[in-house]
């Protein structure tokens, strides 16, 4: 899973206990089930799960601070988010087609601030 945002899902997600895979530059927040099982690897992620952050570097469990004034407020980052300019690499465009990075580094998740 690369540069994705999984937020407010009420059903179990793809990664169930015992799953294998990697997460890179993604946000997994405020879901009704534990989306990232123990032992999943990856770098530069923000997760809110019982299993904690993936095994790797630059992972955290800090609130990503989504923008409540944006029409897609569950996914777009607010100014001051710790997920902004947090990653050394990423895709060249975000989910809206906006160029990445817009700051000095790449933002976590599917959208660039």
């Amino acid at each position: 899973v690369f540069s994705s945002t999984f937020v407010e899902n009420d059903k179990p997600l793809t990664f169930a206990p015992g799953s294998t895979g990697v997460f890179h530059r993604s946000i997994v927040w405020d879901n009704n089930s534990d989306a990232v099982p123990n032992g999943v690897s990856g770098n530069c992620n923000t997760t809110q799960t019982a299993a904690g952050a993936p095994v790797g570097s630059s992972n955290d469990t800090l609130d990503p601070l989504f923008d409540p004034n944006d029409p897609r407020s569950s996914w777009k980052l607010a100014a001051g988010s710790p997920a902004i300019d947090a990653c050394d690499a990423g895709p060249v465009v975000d989910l809206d087609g906006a160029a990445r990075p817009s700051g000095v580094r790449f933002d976590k998740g599917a959208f660039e601030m």
Side-chain angles (χ1 to χ4, degrees):
V1 179
F2 298 89
S3 300
S4 298
T5 303
F6 297 100
V7 179
E8 297 179 354
N9 292 286
D10 60 357
K11 303 288 187 225
L13 297 177
T14 304
F15 285 83
S19 295
T20 60
V22 295
F23 275 76
H24 292 294
R25 303 175 302 274
S26 295
I27 298 171
V28 181
W29 200 259
D30 201 22
N31 296 290
N32 285 344
S33 66
D34 199 5
V36 183
N38 286 317
V40 168
S41 64
N43 300 313
C44 201
N45 298 287
T46 293
T47 58
Q48 180 189 33
T49 70
V55 176
S57 63
S58 302
N59 296 314
D60 63 58
T61 56
L62 301 172
D63 186 338
L65 302 176
F66 294 109
D67 184 353
N69 298 315
D70 190 280
R72 293 191 277 184
S73 62
S74 293
W75 310 288
K76 298 273 189 133
L77 299 172
S81 168
I84 296 173
D85 292 339
C87 304
D88 291 329
V92 295
V93 295
D94 74 359
L95 195 60
D96 284 338
R100 296 180 97 162
S102 65
V104 296
R105 297 174 72 206
F106 294 82
D107 297 350
K108 293 179 184 178
F111 297 99
E112 191 77 6
M113 167 69 174

